[in-house]
Amino acid sequence: MERIKIRVALVGNPNVGKSTVFNQLTGLNQHTGNWPGKTVEKKIGYVNKDKYILEITDLPGIYSLTANSLEEVISREFIIKEKPDIVILIVDASALERNLYLLSQLRELTPNIIIGLNMIDILKMKKYKLDIKKLEERLKIPIIPTIASKGIGLDELVNKVIEVYEEDNLNPIGIHYGDLEEDIKKIEEILPENLEGYPKRWIALKLLENDPIIIDLCKNNLSKEDWEKIKEIFEKNENNPIKVATARYNFIKKVLEGVLEKPEKQAISWTEKLDEYLTHPFWGSIFAILIVTLIFYLSFTLNDLLSEPVDGLLSLIGDKLSSLLFFIPNWWRELLIEGVWQGVATILSFTPLITIFFFFLALMEGSGYLARLAFVSDGLMHKLGLHGKSLIPLVISFGCNVPGVMATRTLEDEKDRILLIILDSFIPCVPRILVASFFLSILFSKTSYFFLLYFLIFHKLLLYIY
Amino acid sequence: MSGKTEKRGGSKVIKKLIEMNKGEKGRVISIHGGRGKILRLAEMGITPGEEIVLIQKSFGPVIIRVKDTNLALGKGLAETILVEVSDNGKN
């Protein structure tokens, strides 16, 4: 049977359960996490339903479609260039005002939007009253309520995608930018048709927002006169970017008026109570030190338990290999066993430690604690001349430099990022510490061993303070 | 803060976001800084006129609630935002 392919893009703010929706829908094993840059790799999953196959691309979590970060640029380029049939926007029902900001931008790029209204259980917990039907009518966008963590509403989401794809009749409400409309129109008139596939209105808005990428694009593709004319229009008022953002929020406010009701006194959830302590300048710091110490302690002690059986297994395999290869010349066998296999086995013997360490790291990340850690450590990191977000890549670097360096992309400023990348590669990762501790245990007494190890780990950090 | 503090309608205090106390509520008056910074904040929902609550203060950064979301702001950013404090959250 020939299946009909529907190309779907999954968009949403960070922390709205977008990755959870993706995982639940596609069943693909994918990393769910808390900080931007996570899903910067393109994740694609498939859903089979009747005669359709949905090809779902999980785009990175973003707050807007400006050129603020790599993730935002990736997302908007994907929507414009790859032209997915349907874009599913996952929004956090309990923070609609902020989440709909992305919708207001998405709307300029494509009309084919479906909203997955996620975490409606939180909405109830917070005692918010939301008239979904009315919201749907006002936005003219289909809305499917979901609780992704429990798998609720996801079938309906898939059905809606198919329905919308077949009927192809979406025409969501547009946003009126007030007195900016005149300038938008003027710019649109000057712009040529089909500028790299970007919609004209969107380019005009981006110019008013002073988007550097779009400014470059126009500069390079327009005649000098046209460019000068356009430049004059959008540079006329330096408040334009804020006006655009404000117009979007005003639009959202109007849409939500009478649709969303919040209680006078907001209930404090247990996570907020916990947050009070986790982000507290004193208790938060104590907790941070405890957690980081505990993770390192547990990683090493659990590794001690596991390393012996693993080493035993590895040498057993070595012996077996050696007896299996009885037919080849001695010198040749020894090269293979003592050289090649030993080399591989040494690397494999690090597996338990790295696995355990990354498990804890994933736990910290998944629970959202890494974000709190970044907040608490911000002051200290600034003293080191680093950004507050640096602690996460630094901590990861102790496990392995590679993901540590990769994690530096959460830093927006290029200078900060490069500094951290350089610093990161000097952090002794766990395998390096193991090699170092091996030599230290041979060359030094047991008591001086720990001091030397700590010195080895921290002296480079100390160097960077000065 | 001690006992009864000024009620609403009393003189309102304008201060930098970084100088606000924990639990204080206020309205953003102005943001100083480059265009990029202002736009970024505007996109996060921090625009003049917006109501914010200071949730937590640490050595440098602050956590504020704006539009139903908690946001952490670095010291540098928090220094550029002026707020009219309307409620100290204690009454």
Side-chain angles (χ1 to χ4, degrees), chain A residues 167-193:
Chain A
E167 287 172 13
D168 193 23
N169 59 354
L170 284 183
N171 187 21
I173 184 173
I175 298 159
H176 197 269
Y177 287 90
D179 56 346
L180 287 174
E181 285 294 338
E182 207 181 308
D183 287 343
I184 295 172
K185 214 170 183 174
K186 273 192 214 155
I187 296 175
E188 272 186 280
E189 274 163 18
I190 303 171
L191 286 172
E193 288 303 324

Side-chain angles (χ1 to χ4, degrees), chain A residues 66 98 128 210 272 276, chain B residues 22 35 43-44 65 68:
Chain A
T66 326
R98 167 183 316 283
Y128 283 17
N210 287 307
E272 281 172 71
E276 164 67 27
Chain B
K22 208 163 137 178
R35 272 190 206 173
E43 293 196 315
M44 303 298 280
R65 176 168 303 143
D68 276 329

Side-chain angles (χ1 to χ4, degrees), chain B residues 14-17 27-30 32 80-84:
Chain B
I14 294 176
K15 40 174 134 171
K16 288 179 187 167
L17 177 57
R27 204 169 279 281
V28 176
I29 292 183
S30 62
H32 303 269
T80 63
I81 301 168
L82 275 185
V83 183
E84 183 185 64

Side-chain angles (χ1 to χ4, degrees), chain A residues 52-218:
Chain A
Y52 301 95
I53 179 159
L54 275 61
E55 183 192 80
I56 303 179
T57 307
D58 188 20
L59 292 175
I62 45 171
Y63 290 107
S64 94
L65 291 169
T66 326
N68 283 323
S69 69
L70 194 61
E71 287 80 9
E72 297 183 357
V73 176
I74 289 174
S75 298
R76 75 183 195 195
E77 292 285 297
F78 182 83
I79 294 165
I80 294 163
K81 302 269 156 79
E82 310 280 325
K83 297 200 182 352
D85 299 314
I86 313 272
V87 175
I88 302 177
L89 175 72
I90 304 295
V91 303
D92 173 358
S94 65
L96 262 184
E97 219 182 327
R98 167 183 316 283
N99 277 247
L100 289 183
Y101 187 83
L102 188 56
L103 173 75
S104 69
Q105 291 197 307
L106 208 54
R107 170 67 193 94
E108 312 290 349
L109 289 181
T110 171
N112 302 319
I113 306 166
I114 294 176
I115 293 178
L117 189 69
N118 199 23
M119 307 207 257
I120 42 168
D121 47 340
I122 309 265
L123 201 68
K124 253 177 226 147
M125 214 172 73
K126 279 192 168 176
K127 298 201 170 72
Y128 283 17
K129 277 193 196 108
L130 178 66
D131 191 337
I132 298 175
K133 203 123 206 104
K134 215 163 163 186
L135 183 63
E136 214 168 21
E137 277 164 22
R138 282 200 189 166
L139 292 172
K140 296 185 192 157
I141 292 175
I143 299 174
I144 308 293
T146 61
I147 307 173
S149 55
K150 290 176 188 152
I152 296 171
L154 298 175
D155 288 338
E156 289 84 344
L157 199 61
V158 172
N159 292 339
K160 199 66 180 181
V161 167
I162 294 168
E163 186 192 316
V164 166
Y165 177 79
E166 284 301 342
E167 287 172 13
D168 193 23
N169 59 354
L170 284 183
N171 187 21
I173 184 173
I175 298 159
H176 197 269
Y177 287 90
D179 56 346
L180 287 174
E181 285 294 338
E182 207 181 308
D183 287 343
I184 295 172
K185 214 170 183 174
K186 273 192 214 155
I187 296 175
E188 272 186 280
E189 274 163 18
I190 303 171
L191 286 172
E193 288 303 324
N194 202 8
L195 197 60
E196 291 200 8
Y198 296 104
K200 272 190 186 183
R201 185 180 165 81
W202 186 77
I203 293 188
L205 276 166
K206 286 292 137 187
L207 287 173
L208 289 170
E209 283 182 283
N210 287 307
D211 187 295
I213 294 176
I214 298 303
I215 287 179
D216 275 351
L217 176 87
C218 290

